[in-house]
Amino acid sequence: MTVSEALSYIHSVSWKGSVPGLSRTRELLRRLGNPQNQLKFIHIAGTNGKGSTAAMLASVLRAAGYRTGLYTSPYISCFNERMQVDGAMIPDGELAEITEAVRPHADAMADAPTEFELVTAVAMVYFARHSCDLVVLEVGLGGELDSTNVISTPEAAVICNIGLDHTQVLGDTLEAIAAAKAGIIKGGDVVIYRGEECVEHVFEEKCAAVGAVLHRADFERLRLHSHSLYGQVFDCGERKKLELPLLGGHQLKNAAVALAAIDVLTQKGWKISEDAVRRGLKTVSWPGRFELLSEQPLFIVDGGHNPQCIAALTENVRTYLSGKKITALTGVMADKDFGEMFSCIAPYISRFVAVTPDNPRALKAASLAEMLSGFGKPVSCCDDVAQGVRLAMEQTDADDAVLAFGSLYMVGTIRETVKAETTPCG
């Protein structure tokens, strides 16, 4: 099997979409010898910030000398990004080899696994093969019924910021969504992002019910020293002048969550020095999150795709782009609350370029442009994302900025196109 054949099989139309439940994943992993039982995990759920928090934790653990697995979704440019060991993506050959080994077991199941369940099984085999000391495992959707939740009690369960997203599946209240995320709590230690009182109450009740120890990230002792488009310097409690290349106040809160998880690990006997913490945070890379792609023209891309993400993005616009006229290059999924998303950020935008992300769920650019015209700003429409990048740059003066946002599914194309059209920053 070649890597192209492996990816064709994984993405095959014969696979079902998102179907909650753990029975298929358990059955497939049982047939594969339960590779997950050879591993230890940090399990990460939440609406926003999961990926950034996971990347920070993985970077710190690598700096501490541990062989570290990282499982995330979706990918930005390459499918292989979804499973990494020590910062390196799974090689094409190994992805093909493992998929070929998994396929007969999946095909033999009466209740066939979904695509995400298949990918999760491939990842577990990959991490076990490489004898990872610790795997940072990001939930795909929800928590309780997500296929990653087949693992036993993790070293730490981490629950990031909770907001209203995927409401058709998880529920239309913060409490309902928090309850779904709380499904990853099985006992042991739990670290949470400080949020609404009603959300924290859900986690308190679940921890009490299963005998888990609840740890709250410390936002009160976060202090920002300086920031620029290249990074931030901040304090978190007794840790002073930490450097972080990820931008925005919300990333400082994500860092506080990661640091709380690191403290839990050290209390459990994991050897993580303060030097490793500093090096890990300073060198973390997580593309597509208020990422500076070019200085001339100033071009920033952000994968923000729900109202909570766009609120954080708007705060970054006020902080980093004050005084600039902003061309918004944007595309969205049709099932998102894009009306509320754009209401938040529209006052800071001078013109819009609407595009269609490369995803079956995408809202067509023409429909998005029609909605955006209601804000009274000039709107251009371009179905192709790469053409939209070039159009946005043409419409933006040298001293102003292009801000691309709305969907992670177009970030890869945007990054590649800007790289081809400009001199990279830094």
Side-chain angles (χ1 to χ4, degrees):
M1 180 181 283
T2 66
V3 70
S4 296
E5 290 169 338
L7 292 176
S8 294
Y9 175 68
I10 288 170
H11 298 318
S12 169
V13 293
S14 67
W15 296 107
K16 295 173 287 188
S18 177
V19 182
L22 302 180
S23 61
R24 292 174 300 276
T25 308
R26 286 185 174 132
E27 172 63 12
L28 180 55
L29 289 171
R30 183 192 65 77
R31 290 168 177 262
L32 294 167
N34 285 316
Q36 78 281 5
N37 292 344
Q38 303 172 35
L39 300 164
K40 295 182 183 296
F41 298 92
I42 301 174
H43 204 186
I44 303 183
T47 306
N48 296 310
K50 299 190 300 294
S52 297
T53 304
M56 291 184 215
L57 282 165
S59 187
V60 170
L61 291 169
R62 291 198 305 271
Y66 290 109
R67 177 164 291 182
T68 305
L70 177 63
Y71 182 61
T72 59
S73 61
Y75 62 88
I76 298 297
S77 299
C78 174
F79 177 89
N80 308 50
E81 296 169 23
R82 296 181 62 173
M83 52 195 86
Q84 304 178 23
V85 172
D86 286 345
M89 299 183 296
I90 183 172
D92 283 350
E94 194 165 8
L95 175 59
E97 180 187 349
I98 295 175
T99 302
E100 186 172 21
V102 170
R103 179 173 185 170
H105 298 287
D107 288 350
M109 291 170 57
D111 186 8
T114 67
E115 177 176 323
F116 187 75
E117 291 165 350
L118 178 67
V119 174
T120 298
V122 170
M124 293 299 182
V125 173
Y126 175 57
F127 296 137
R129 275 189 175 194
H130 287 266
S131 302
C132 288
D133 298 309
L134 198 53
V135 175
V136 182
L137 186 70
E138 181 187 345
V139 165
L141 176 65
E144 182 177 10
L145 300 179
D146 184 79
S147 65
T148 62
N149 206 30
V150 295
I151 65 170
S152 58
T153 303
E155 294 295 284
V158 178
I159 303 181
C160 300
N161 200 4
I162 300 297
L164 294 173
D165 201 2
H166 301 294
T167 53
Q168 306 95 321
V169 178
L170 303 179
D172 58 4
T173 66
L174 290 175
E175 293 92 335
I177 291 173
K181 311 290 186 184
I184 71 168
I185 300 172
K186 305 178 180 71
D189 291 279
V190 179
V191 176
I192 64 169
Y193 184 109
R194 301 303 306 271
E196 299 284 345
E197 186 176 335
C198 62
V199 168
E200 291 197 26
H201 182 64
V202 170
F203 301 140
E204 290 167 358
E205 286 194 329
K206 182 59 183 285
C207 286
V210 299
V213 180
L214 183 64
H215 307 263
R216 294 175 171 84
D218 186 1
F219 296 164
E220 296 300 319
R221 295 200 294 168
L222 281 172
R223 180 190 170 201
L224 177 65
H225 284 280
S226 62
H227 59 79
S228 72
L229 284 170
Y230 297 96
Q232 308 184 80
V233 179
F234 70 104
D235 297 343
C236 185
E238 300 305 315
R239 294 182 170 103
K240 306 297 183 183
K241 294 192 175 180
L242 299 165
E243 298 176 62
L244 183 69
L246 306 181
L247 304 181
H250 63 292
Q251 292 292 12
L252 297 187
K253 292 180 177 180
N254 291 336
V257 173
L259 290 169
I262 291 296
D263 289 339
V264 166
L265 292 176
T266 57
Q267 291 164 15
K268 295 169 81 79
W270 294 86
K271 305 299 183 185
I272 305 169
S273 69
E274 286 304 302
D275 178 66
V277 170
R278 289 183 176 278
R279 286 187 289 114
L281 289 182
K282 184 176 181 178
T283 58
V284 66
S285 175
W286 196 234
R289 280 71 177 180
F290 206 77
E291 180 187 10
L292 177 63
L293 300 182
S294 167
E295 293 174 337
Q296 291 186 333
L298 189 65
F299 198 117
I300 293 171
V301 63
D302 188 271
H305 56 277
N306 59 42
Q308 197 175 41
C309 289
I310 301 304
L313 176 61
T314 302
E315 184 60 34
N316 275 0
V317 167
R318 287 194 289 262
T319 300
Y320 296 98
L321 301 179
S322 178
K324 292 187 178 294
K325 293 181 180 178
I326 299 172
T327 300
L329 172 68
T330 187
V332 296
M333 297 296 104
D335 57 356
K336 297 296 182 181
D337 187 0
F338 50 82
E340 184 177 345
M341 287 167 54
F342 288 109
S343 295
C344 177
I345 201 167
Y348 302 92
I349 303 301
S350 296
R351 65 181 63 82
F352 291 97
V353 176
V355 296
T356 307
D358 184 17
N359 187 282
R361 293 188 293 113
L363 183 69
K364 294 296 184 183
S367 298
L368 178 58
E370 183 178 359
M371 188 277 288
L372 293 172
S373 65
F375 292 109
K377 313 287 178 71
V379 182
S380 302
C381 178
C382 188
D383 279 323
D384 184 77
V385 174
Q387 291 178 9
V389 169
R390 291 186 280 269
L391 179 60
M393 290 193 292
E394 289 171 6
Q395 294 183 354
T396 304
D397 293 338
D399 293 334
D400 293 320
V402 179
L403 177 65
F405 64 92
S407 172
L408 278 167
Y409 292 108
M410 61 185 192
V411 169
T413 300
I414 291 169
R415 295 179 85 243
E416 292 163 9
T417 307
V418 172
K419 181 178 180 180
E421 296 286 330
T422 66
T423 301
C425 61

